[in-house]
Amino acid sequence: MLIEATDDQVDVATGEILAPGLASIDEVWAAIEAVVSRQQLTAALEAIIELTPPADSDADEAWRAMLVGRFAMVRPFLPQLCEVIQFGATAEGRPVLAALRTLPSLMGRKRVTPEEINASLLIGSWRRLVLRAPHLQEGQVDWKAYAFCVLEQFHRLLRRREIFAINSSKWGDPGAKLLQGPAWEALRPTVLASLRLPEQPGTYLTRQAETLDAAYREVAGRLPANTSAGMGDDGRLHLAALEPVPEPDSLVALREAVEAMMPRVDLPEVLLEVFSWTGADAAFTSITGKRPGWPTFPSRSPRCWWRTAATSG
């Protein structure tokens, strides 16, 4: 009713654009209350506000808020994580590593101000949980939520080796063993020539970026018509499960032929047969120290002389 009362109207028969039919707020309310009472509308809006998450919320806010209440789980090891292990970082990981090293100084304090944290690290629902939690007083931040925010990003960058443990074989710097200084300068022309890379990477990287951008745009343009792929509510690309490719008749026939050629005997029978031909059992020593003596059987089927061996003990 509000849209119809305030927007221009189009006469379907003639195509003529007409001015809004209602000119004042009182007339708009009168038209709305002819459909639903103001009390019902107010109650509906309150329910929507209560059920709808804030604009800066995300799907992870619920479990992140629950995580903040379990700070006791990380309190014992957090100071040691910052002091005992020597970490390094790339340019991307340095802000997170610096924030991690400040966490012990914030623990246990009753009042932490926004100036004492790195607010640029607050992404998604962490911003609300750290800066605007209901229990906070004006000018304070939730340092526990901030600690978990930093730890979450620390873990993500540690897996990507943007943050690394110095002198660690598994979690160390992936570029530590690369040639550097004079050694790299001496081999640089040879390496670049073998990889067909230019001396200056700017033009090459620009060309690769354009190729990647074109590929992304091509894929995005095909998504609306692709029934096997789509973007979910979580903002991620979801692909439908691939149906199994039917086996060709030639593969089925080959499998049946191979199975038909396989001997119908058990593995122990095959080993005993080979031992009787080659005497390979002489290379083994019994646990009792005696040489195993496999009986020699006349030429008969493996299954037949296996039964004979079992009967003779």
Side-chain angles (χ1 to χ4, degrees), residues 141-207:
V141 300
D142 190 331
W143 60 268
K144 294 181 180 179
Y146 177 70
F148 275 112
C149 173
V150 173
L151 287 174
E152 182 183 74
Q153 297 194 51
F154 169 78
H155 180 253
R156 175 177 59 85
L157 295 177
L158 185 66
R159 291 173 62 105
R160 292 170 47 186
R161 301 301 188 275
E162 300 292 345
I163 295 177
F164 48 86
I166 298 176
N167 298 327
S168 171
S169 58
K170 180 178 180 180
W171 301 100
D173 182 7
K177 297 182 180 180
L178 295 178
L179 293 177
Q180 298 179 5
W184 164 241
E185 293 299 331
L187 292 176
R188 179 174 179 172
T190 304
V191 174
L192 293 179
S194 63
L195 297 177
R196 298 180 181 180
L197 294 175
E199 285 283 344
Q200 301 300 327
T203 304
Y204 175 80
L205 293 177
T206 300
R207 186 167 60 251

Side-chain angles (χ1 to χ4, degrees), residues 85-102:
I85 304 177
Q86 187 178 3
F87 290 106
T90 62
E92 182 179 352
R94 288 190 192 106
V96 176
L97 182 58
L100 179 74
R101 290 170 175 165
T102 63

Side-chain angles (χ1 to χ4, degrees), residues 162-273:
E162 300 292 345
I163 295 177
F164 48 86
I166 298 176
N167 298 327
S168 171
S169 58
K170 180 178 180 180
W171 301 100
D173 182 7
K177 297 182 180 180
L178 295 178
L179 293 177
Q180 298 179 5
W184 164 241
E185 293 299 331
L187 292 176
R188 179 174 179 172
T190 304
V191 174
L192 293 179
S194 63
L195 297 177
R196 298 180 181 180
L197 294 175
E199 285 283 344
Q200 301 300 327
T203 304
Y204 175 80
L205 293 177
T206 300
R207 186 167 60 251
Q208 297 299 319
E210 292 174 352
T211 303
L212 181 61
D213 180 71
Y216 271 123
R217 292 180 183 276
E218 182 181 359
V219 172
R222 294 179 180 181
L223 280 180
N226 191 343
T227 58
S228 299
M231 300 299 296
D233 296 336
D234 55 359
R236 297 182 179 181
L237 180 65
H238 296 273
L239 303 177
L242 297 177
E243 296 294 334
V245 178
E247 295 180 346
D249 296 337
S250 59
L251 178 60
V252 176
L254 176 62
R255 183 184 296 114
E256 293 176 352
V258 172
E259 291 179 353
M261 290 187 292
M262 296 296 293
R264 303 299 180 184
V265 295
D266 293 332
L267 181 60
E269 298 178 6
V270 176
L271 292 175
L272 292 176
E273 180 85 11

Side-chain angles (χ1 to χ4, degrees), residues 285-306:
T285 303
S286 172
I287 193 173
T288 61
K290 299 180 180 179
R291 286 187 57 192
W294 297 104
T296 302
F297 300 99
S299 176
R300 59 179 75 174
S301 67
R303 191 176 299 278
C304 181
W305 59 254
W306 171 256

